[in-house]
């Protein structure tokens, strides 16, 4: 398989100013990005933000209103779907109900006039651990098995790019984690470019080399998962990928290597390389796990910045305890404390000082009227929500 | 009329029609539609125009001498004046038959959809089974069942529901029973289709929320079966009103419906203008009833 | 109290069974009469048991001729109307075009028009156009009223089909034609078969429209109608019973051949089998 992948000519997938309008509604808005060959690329975004539409344009199932899809140097924008070296794992699999598993998997090979498909199909079924299921119908398989058939059916064609549209969305949590590992293993093994669409940020972060966060038809940020998480570009990304405490303030220019911020009457600073702006309305952001709680201002380590407050809620979630701290000006911050056995738990009502290392903070642009934002506690996206 | 039967779309709005394509594929839908639409235009729509024309022919003409188009609008009042009893009777008989059919058909459809369990398919087959045999042959079988020498009449005479000389055959009762029988499956099947979709948990929820069985029926079952009920009612009523086979085989000229008159106008008396006028009146009356009914029932989608 | 509970649970089923009895009684009578030697030509009562009618079903040659003619007409009308109706269904479900509501109306109206009106209006047309009535005018009429039923049946199946299956096929290198041949057609086929069976049964059993457009041609229902005035030969009941038996066998056979076939058979059944 590795061999086959290397035979295909080198080619990155490039989307250039891709736009799709349905009537007056713009589903995909001037999207440009490059997916390097062999990458595991995740397109992450909430339901309805245009992920499926983007994939469909790459697959040729939807004609872009404007813009181009390029594979290497080849412009494939106008090619019919069956002329593109691209295959798709559909959102609800779209297995052919009247064909058995073997014929489902063999479908692409047969359409290209390949007669001897038996061995290849067997090898592919083995790859997805479905040996012996060839004669069954799709309806006789569980969701996870159907998902793997859909994968095998696409992979057997050795496409240059494999598109996966929320392939794990219909699976329960445990199976989903299992399949994530499986998918990652297979991608490493076959070395094909994967474009994986998901609305599950954890899925995107654990699987992909590169994540693009999409919002309302546009890419908000693109990069390695850790980079995006540690230094989000916008408030949307800061909240969509993980959770954030965002304090509404005003950036007040440089002071040496730092950018100064005033928020709620207090002065803070962030390193200049963690500030997306220097002047004007800004959000000062700190991730909850990087917000520490101390008994009082005197206990704050040197170099940390802090705000005072009162614990209003404490949820014990096993590995950590998640606190809500109400500040003097009334908004709430969340702080996660690892249950490492050091230090006791704080009771509701305890006055505390929340502090952070400014090197972990970040400064983002803020629209004029926006106030503080704290992602509410325990906001796992609902399992199985499909778009 | 099966169109009506496919109405229930589980509340959701129907998928929007695909957009008009530009370029290459633009002509394809017209090519696909052409043969069928042409057939319907030439052999359904055009004949209706011809019928309308024939209804205005000079009634003095005849088939052998030919008819002259004199815009004889008077054919309509003349025909009505001569045959209004049959006209009324058509609607009366089919209305009574419809009520009977609803009383019988609703429990039947409900039982098959909700209570039959693994017997469901068998019962469905039993409902459709009558339609596997010729309509006329089955109607003739009623002649045997209702015959003066038959067991049924004997029984009814014994319990004094019928006088010693009382009859069933050749009475309005026989005709209405025949109509009810012949068109009952058309009422039951669409009704079954929408009752089958009814989630029994809804009734449990209703009774959990203090609804008596009767209330639960009125507030949950009945409204949810409305699409099937509307479709079934029309599927029953339209053919029943235009029927003349039951009146002919099970009744006497005293029970004749408008269909019998039209049949004889065209095939026996050869009075085409009158036959055409009556046909047209029948269609207009039925269409008017259908549209008023659909408007009242509030489902444009049925069409 | 217990009795009341029991009754409350069961009465609907009880009524349903009574109604089913009402629906099936005439069939039982037809089957019974097929073994009857009538006392006179015009008698409809049971007289004497005999196997003669089954032994010589074509004793009345006219009747068997009429059955054969009905089958010929039914087959031709089925093929033509299934093709025309299926094409229309594809256009309606799969394509956008101007004039959709007009076409929908043209398909719906024949189903909402009393047969009597369709029969007489065609008669008026054929007479006005000087077309002699006979075998082919019957076929024309039957195709006309079957087409709408075919459209509706195939349309339902097609609309219920997941478009993504076709997209998946195209994604897997199937051209438009291959997609149609390998995916669309096999998946719509049960609907087309159901439509064809429906069309045949409508055509075979049609009396009213045929009656106005048959000229001197005699179909089976026409024969029965004529005989009803002169006296019905008991063989008519043999044909009626045989039709019933064959239909039941078809349903039974298909339900033995696995779930898919059974579902197809049920689709046929649950599609209100047209008009008398
Ligand atoms: N064929 C279509 N016609 C009109 N609107 C569409 C169509 N397909 C998608 N949309 C709209 O485009 C937006 C993006 O859809 P989609 O790409 O499916 O989102 P996602 O996959 O990210 O959930 C949605 O608001 C959706 O309603
Ligand atoms: Mg989607």
């Amino acid at each position: 398989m590795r061999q086959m992948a290397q035979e295909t000519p080198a080619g990155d997938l490039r989307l250039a100013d891709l736009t799709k309008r349905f009537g007056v509604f713009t589903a995909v808005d001037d999207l440009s990005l490059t997916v390097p060959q062999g990458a595991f690329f995740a397109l992450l975004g909430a339901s309805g933000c245009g992920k499926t539409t983007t994939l469909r344009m790459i697959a040729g199932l939807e004609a872009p209103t404007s813009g181009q899809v390029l594979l290497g140097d080849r412009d494939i924008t106008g090619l019919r779907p069956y002329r593109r070296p691209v295959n798709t794992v559909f959102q609800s699999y779209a297995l052919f109900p009247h064909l058995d598993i073997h014929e489902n998997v063999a479908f692409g090979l047969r359409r290209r006039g390949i007669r001897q498909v038996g061995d290849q199909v067997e090898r592919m079924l083995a790859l997805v651990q479905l040996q012996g299921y060839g004669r069954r119908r799709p309806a006789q398989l569980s969701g996870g098995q159907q998902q793997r058939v859909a994968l095998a059916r696409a992979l057997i064609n050795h496409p240059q790019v494999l598109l996966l549209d929320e392939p794990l969305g219909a699976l329960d949590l445990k199976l989903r984690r299992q399949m994530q590992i499986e998918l990652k293993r297979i991608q490493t093994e076959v070395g094909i470019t994967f474009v994986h669409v998901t609305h599950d940020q954890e899925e995107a972060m654990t699987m992909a080399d590169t994540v693009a966060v999409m919002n309302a038809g546009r890419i908000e940020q693109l990069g390695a998962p850790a980079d995006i998480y540690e230094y989000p570009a916008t408030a949307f990304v800061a909240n969509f990928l993980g959770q954030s405490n965002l304090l509404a303030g005003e950036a007040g220019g440089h002071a040496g290597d730092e950018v100064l911020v005033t928020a709620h009457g207090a002065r803070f600073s962030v390193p200049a390389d963690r500030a997306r702006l220097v002047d004007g309305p800004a959000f000062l952001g700190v991730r909850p796990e990087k917000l520490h709680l101390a008994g009082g201002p005197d206990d704050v380590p040197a170099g940390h910045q802090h705000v005072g407050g009162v614990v209003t809620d404490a949820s014990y979630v096993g590995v950590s305890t998640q606190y809500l701290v109400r500040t003097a000006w009334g908004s709430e911050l969340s702080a996660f404390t690892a249950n490492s056995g050091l230090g006791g738990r704080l009771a509701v009502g305890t006055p505390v000082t929340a502090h952070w290392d400014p090197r972990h903070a970040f400064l983002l642009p803020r629209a004029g009227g926006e106030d503080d934002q704290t992602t509410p506690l325990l906001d796992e996206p609902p399992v199985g929500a499909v778009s | 009329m099966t169109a009506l039967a496919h109405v229930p779309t589980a509340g959701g709005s129907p998928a929007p029609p695909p957009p008009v394509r530009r370029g290459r594929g633009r002509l394809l839908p017209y090519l696909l539609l052409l043969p069928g639409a042409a057939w319907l235009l030439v052999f359904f729509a055009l004949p209706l125009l011809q019928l309308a024309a024939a209804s205005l022919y000079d009634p003095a003409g005849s088939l052998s001498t030919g008819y002259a188009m004199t815009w004889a609008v008077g054919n309509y009042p003349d025909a009505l004046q001569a045959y209004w009893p049959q006209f009324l009777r058509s609607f009366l008989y089919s209305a009574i038959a419809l009520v009977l059919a609803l009383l019988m058909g609703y429990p039947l459809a409900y039982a098959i959809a909700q209570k039959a369990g693994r017997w469901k398919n068998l019962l469905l087959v039993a409902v459709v089974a009558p339609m596997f045999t010729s309509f006329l042959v089955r109607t003739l079988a009623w002649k045997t069942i209702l015959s003066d020498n038959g067991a049924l009449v004997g029984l009814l005479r014994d319990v004094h529901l019928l006088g010693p000389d009382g009859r069933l055959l050749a009475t309005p009762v026989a005709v209405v029973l025949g109509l009810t029988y012949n068109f009952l499956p058309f009422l039951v099947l669409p009704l079954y289709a929408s009752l089958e979709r009814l989630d029994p948990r809804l009734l449990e929820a209703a009774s959990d929320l203090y609804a008596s069985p009767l209330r639960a029926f009125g507030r949950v079952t009945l409204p949810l079966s409305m699409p099937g009920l509307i479709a079934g009612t029309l599927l029953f009523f339209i053919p029943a009103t235009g029927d003349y086979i039951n009146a002919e085989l099970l009744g006497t000229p005293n029970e004749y419906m408008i269909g019998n008159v039209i049949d004889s106008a065209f095939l026996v008396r050869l009075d085409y203008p009158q036959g055409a006028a009556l046909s047209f009146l029948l269609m207009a009356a039925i269409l008017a009833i259908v549209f008023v009914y659909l408007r009242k029932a509030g489902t444009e989608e049925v069409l | 109290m217990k009795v009341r509970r029991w009754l409350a649970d069961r009465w609907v089923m009880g009524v349903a069974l009574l109604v089913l009895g009402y629906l099936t009684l005439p069939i039982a009578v037809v089957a019974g009469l097929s073994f009857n030697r009538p006392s006179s030509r015009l008698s409809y009562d049971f007289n004497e048991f005999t196997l003669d009618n089954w032994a010589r079903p074509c004793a009345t040659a006219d009747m068997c001729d009429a059955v054969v003619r009905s089958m010929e007409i039914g087959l031709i009308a089925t093929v033509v109307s299934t093709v025309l109706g299926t094409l229309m269904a594809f256009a309606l479900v799969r394509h956008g075009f101007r004039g959709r509501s007009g076409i929908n109306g043209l398909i719906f109206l024949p189903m909402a028009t009393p047969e009597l009106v369709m029969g007489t209006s065609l008669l008026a047309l054929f007479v006005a156009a000087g077309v002699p009535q006979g075998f082919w005018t019957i076929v024309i009429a039957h195709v006309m009223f079957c087409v709408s039923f075919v459209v509706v049946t195939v349309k339902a199946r097609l609309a219920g089909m997941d478009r993504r299956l076709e997209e998946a096929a195209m994604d897997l290198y199937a051209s438009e034609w291959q997609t149609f041949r390998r995916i669309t057609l096999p998946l719509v086929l049960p609907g087309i078969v159901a439509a064809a069976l429906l069309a045949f049964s409508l055509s075979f059993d049609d009396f009213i429209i045929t009656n106005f457009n048959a000229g001197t041609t005699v179909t089976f229902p026409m024969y029965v109608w004529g005989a009803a005035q002169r006296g019905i030969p008991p063989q008519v009941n043999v044909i009626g019973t045989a039709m019933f038996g064959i239909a039941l066998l078809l349903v039974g056979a298909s339900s033995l051949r696995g779930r898919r076939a059974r579902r197809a058979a049920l689709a046929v059944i649950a599609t209100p089998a047209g008009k008398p």
Side-chain angles (χ1 to χ4, degrees), chain A residues 188-237:
Chain A
T188 324
E189 208 170 311
V190 298
I192 292 173
T193 310
F194 274 34
V195 179
H196 180 112
V197 156
T198 177
H199 64 259
D200 178 346
Q201 45 113 353
E202 202 176 320
E203 186 173 300
M205 285 202 285
T206 51
M207 300 175 77
D209 320 321
T210 312
V211 174
V213 182
M214 218 176 149
N215 182 29
R218 295 170 163 276
I219 300 284
E220 293 256 337
Q221 190 175 3
L222 188 151
D227 295 348
I228 299 184
Y229 185 83
E230 295 303 335
Y231 187 27
T234 63
F236 175 85
V237 175

Side-chain angles (χ1 to χ4, degrees), chain A residues 56 80 82 87-88 98, chain C residues 164 167 171 173 176 182:
Chain A
R56 289 171 59 81
R80 304 290 295 141
Y82 47 87
N87 289 113
T88 309
H98 60 301
Chain C
R164 274 169 310 186
E167 293 182 347
D171 187 60
Y173 311 103
E176 277 88 358
R182 303 280 167 188

